[in-house]
Amino acid sequence: MKLLSTLTLLLLMIPSLHAKDTVVLLHGLMRQPASMSKMASALEAEGYRVLNIDYPSRDQTIEVLAATVRRQVARDTVDSAQVHFVTHSMGGILVRQIQKSAPLPNIGRVVMLSPPNQGSEVVDKIGHWKAFHFVNGPAGKQLSTDIKGFIAELGPVDFECGILTGDRSINWINSMMIPGKDDGKVSTEGAKVEGMTDYKVVHATHPMIMKKKAVIQEVITFLQTGEFKPANDKP
């Protein structure tokens, strides 16, 4: 009888013994999970369970999108010890909204790639255009720098958050609207958020930052250690 009780206890412990950390990947506005596929492969090679989520970025407000993503994450990571995130652009804003409105209790480390954490001046300039709304949907208009706008109301982050943002642009028209260095969508300063753990500027453009080998290595380093590589370290 004692042996049976011991075996039962061991069986109950198996899920926790084999629980893996999950890394959730969130693409940006107007993008698809395929944009994060290279990142997904690299993280899987490191032993992480990867959840590369698709969500209809152009169809709903950020609040609705965040609630949709949270439901899927909660459903698909019930056996995960920790849930980390790697996000591109607006994907980082979804994580901030999730943690503000319905926090995930087992959130781990978050790496945001080119996040509009203080909004984007491009939205300030052309967000009222009908063509902008047609292309970007309701969430796009929420990404302004308005001090009373949606982004400003999110507040500081209270989780381990590393930010990588680019200083190269292939969209000179957008860059003319953005003060200082930028990646074609977000300024290097505008990517910062109060409460962030680490921050680094990399030589990358907004649409391609998640595919760069050096960026992927920085992501892995942060997920493993809670900080990026020192500035004098080569990727």
Side-chain angles (χ1 to χ4, degrees), residues 157-207:
V157 297
D158 59 359
F159 46 82
E160 288 186 81
C161 179
I163 294 172
L164 294 168
T165 194
D167 62 0
R168 291 182 176 175
S169 173
I170 56 173
N171 191 328
W172 63 270
I173 295 176
N174 280 0
S175 293
M176 289 177 65
M177 306 180 202
I178 303 171
K181 293 183 178 180
D182 69 272
D183 65 359
K185 291 288 182 69
V186 179
S187 71
T188 53
E189 287 297 309
K192 295 178 179 178
V193 65
E194 185 180 350
M196 64 185 181
T197 309
D198 205 351
Y199 166 87
K200 182 180 277 191
V201 177
V202 296
H203 297 308
T205 63
H206 191 88

Side-chain angles (χ1 to χ4, degrees), residues 23 43 48 84-86 109 111 219-226:
V23 181
L43 292 171
Y48 292 105
H84 309 290
F85 286 84
V86 179
R109 292 169 175 155
V111 182
V219 168
I220 292 169
T221 298
F222 188 89
L223 292 179
Q224 292 175 344
T225 69

Side-chain angles (χ1 to χ4, degrees), residues 14-223:
I14 285 174
S16 61
L17 287 173
H18 292 280
K20 270 188 177 183
D21 283 5
T22 296
V23 181
V24 177
L25 305 183
L26 293 178
H27 61 79
L29 181 63
M30 297 175 58
R31 301 300 290 270
Q32 301 293 329
S35 68
M36 303 292 278
S37 59
K38 188 173 180 180
M39 182 75 68
S41 297
L43 292 171
E44 287 170 348
E46 290 292 320
Y48 292 105
R49 177 174 176 262
V50 176
L51 189 61
N52 192 2
I53 289 182
D54 189 15
Y55 66 94
S57 63
R58 298 173 60 238
D59 294 348
Q60 301 289 345
T61 63
I62 292 172
E63 295 94 328
V64 173
L65 295 172
T68 300
V69 167
R70 192 200 185 284
R71 282 193 296 271
Q72 183 173 345
V73 171
R75 182 191 69 210
D76 294 345
T77 63
V78 291
D79 59 345
S80 296
Q82 282 191 308
V83 179
H84 309 290
F85 286 84
V86 179
T87 68
H88 177 231
S89 195
M90 192 179 75
I93 304 304
L94 297 190
V95 175
R96 290 178 64 189
Q97 171 63 18
I98 288 169
Q99 291 307 108
K100 177 186 176 182
S101 60
L104 292 163
N106 59 338
I107 191 169
R109 292 169 175 155
V110 178
V111 182
M112 298 182 181
L113 308 177
S114 295
N117 274 325
Q118 297 177 44
S120 174
E121 291 81 5
V122 175
V123 180
D124 298 343
K125 298 287 186 181
I126 64 174
H128 61 284
W129 292 5
K130 289 184 179 180
F132 180 92
H133 180 80
F134 177 79
V135 172
N136 296 278
K141 195 170 183 179
Q142 292 179 282
L143 301 176
S144 75
T145 67
D146 188 342
I147 59 172
K148 294 183 179 180
F150 177 84
I151 297 292
E153 293 295 323
L154 286 173
V157 297
D158 59 359
F159 46 82
E160 288 186 81
C161 179
I163 294 172
L164 294 168
T165 194
D167 62 0
R168 291 182 176 175
S169 173
I170 56 173
N171 191 328
W172 63 270
I173 295 176
N174 280 0
S175 293
M176 289 177 65
M177 306 180 202
I178 303 171
K181 293 183 178 180
D182 69 272
D183 65 359
K185 291 288 182 69
V186 179
S187 71
T188 53
E189 287 297 309
K192 295 178 179 178
V193 65
E194 185 180 350
M196 64 185 181
T197 309
D198 205 351
Y199 166 87
K200 182 180 277 191
V201 177
V202 296
H203 297 308
T205 63
H206 191 88
M208 298 301 290
I209 187 170
M210 78 295 284
K211 297 180 183 293
K212 287 183 70 73
K213 182 179 178 181
V215 168
I216 293 172
Q217 288 303 312
E218 290 282 9
V219 168
I220 292 169
T221 298
F222 188 89
L223 292 179

